[in-house]
Every structure is written in structure tokens, then in C-alpha cells.
Amino acid sequence: QLAAALASMTRLNDQALAAARAHGVRACTDVTGFGLLGHLRNILRGSDLAARLDMRRLPALPGALGHVAAGRVPGGSRANLAFLAASLRRRGVEDPDLTLLAADAQTSGGLLLTVDADRVEALCRELQDRGQLGCPVGLLVAPSADAPVGAITLDFGAG
């Protein structure tokens, strides 16, 4: 677990940024202290959009969910989740540990990229070719009465 964490924290984002530029990424932010959910909310508010996340697709370092389940979570992660509570909607049976992990107050994360849907597969392939983890985890959507600007629907799948 430690080796995987160190490798992740010391991997530079330059290769991911180069791939992003080559595939017309519309917005990009590093995932740090506000966690994935906090940084996504900032993109949404700046873009007048809402989002749907497929929680089953979120990447996690080996052992990360076990640490969350054991209560080894920074206070900042819990504060992030509390701050975001009004922006979150849930579909399916929630995994609270996964939700908390998505608000992780890490200080050395990867990049959150937004790209047109028809470019996702090519971007993911290039990221992988460059030795980067890249997978689609959700969609940006037009706001609605159920999901206004800045809302994030956490989709946990059937259950």
C-alpha cells in the first residue's frame, strides 16, 4: 500500500497534461485539498453545469477503502463532505466509505479533466500509453430542478 501511495504521490502530472491538451480538454484541475467532489463542484459552478458520477468507477489506491472503513480519515475529508452536503444527490445504495473517499483532503492528487464525450476513449488510451491512470468517472449535465448548477449526483448503481 505504501509503495502504491508513494508512486501515486510522486508521479508528475506533466504527461497527463500533455495528453489532455492533445485531446481538447475543456477544463482541468488538480485534485488536492478539496477532494474530487470539491474540485468537481468548483468546475460545475464555474461552468453552470451539474454532474453525475459513477461511484463504481472511481479509482482508489490499494487499501484506501480499508483505511476509511477503519476510521483513518483526515478531519479535512469529513469537513469537505459536510461542506458539500447540500450539493450531493444519491442514486442507488450509498457506500458511505466511498463517498468519504471521494471527498478526501489529499494534498497530492492527480488531475480531473473534462472533455467532449467523443474524445473520452482516445484520451484514456493516450493517458494509459503515457503511463497514467485515466478513466471516465462521470458526465457533466445540464442543470435541472432535481440537480441545479453545482449539484453532483453520486450513482452507486442498482441496489
Side-chain angles (χ1 to χ4, degrees):
Q1 292 177 11
L2 182 59
L6 288 173
S8 175
M9 289 187 287
T10 58
R11 181 180 302 120
L12 298 178
N13 286 326
D14 60 339
Q15 292 298 310
L17 183 58
R21 286 182 173 147
H23 291 279
V25 164
R26 302 282 187 151
C28 171
T29 184
D30 60 335
V31 177
T32 55
F34 297 133
L36 172 69
L37 296 177
H39 285 287
L40 175 58
R41 181 180 168 272
N42 288 341
I43 286 176
L44 297 174
R45 290 173 55 105
S47 303
D48 292 330
L49 294 169
R52 288 192 317 253
L53 285 184
D54 184 343
M55 297 299 284
R56 299 163 297 181
R57 300 205 60 174
L58 293 184
L61 289 170
L65 282 168
H67 289 290
V68 174
R72 293 185 290 269
V73 177
S77 298
R78 295 184 195 286
N80 285 344
L81 195 54
F83 177 79
L84 294 165
S87 298
L88 301 179
R89 278 77 179 139
R90 291 153 175 90
R91 291 181 61 194
V93 178
E94 181 177 15
D95 178 340
D97 292 344
L98 190 54
T99 303
L100 186 54
L101 189 63
D104 183 26
Q106 61 187 312
T107 58
S108 184
L111 298 176
L112 172 61
L113 309 171
T114 67
V115 66
D116 290 339
D118 63 344
R119 307 287 301 265
V120 170
E121 287 184 36
L123 173 59
C124 290
R125 276 194 307 274
E126 184 162 345
L127 286 167
Q128 291 169 3
D129 289 347
R130 290 173 176 265
Q132 304 293 307
L133 175 64
C135 62
V137 296
L139 296 169
L140 303 183
V141 297
S144 67
D146 293 332
V149 168
I152 304 169
T153 300
L154 309 177
D155 187 348
F156 293 91

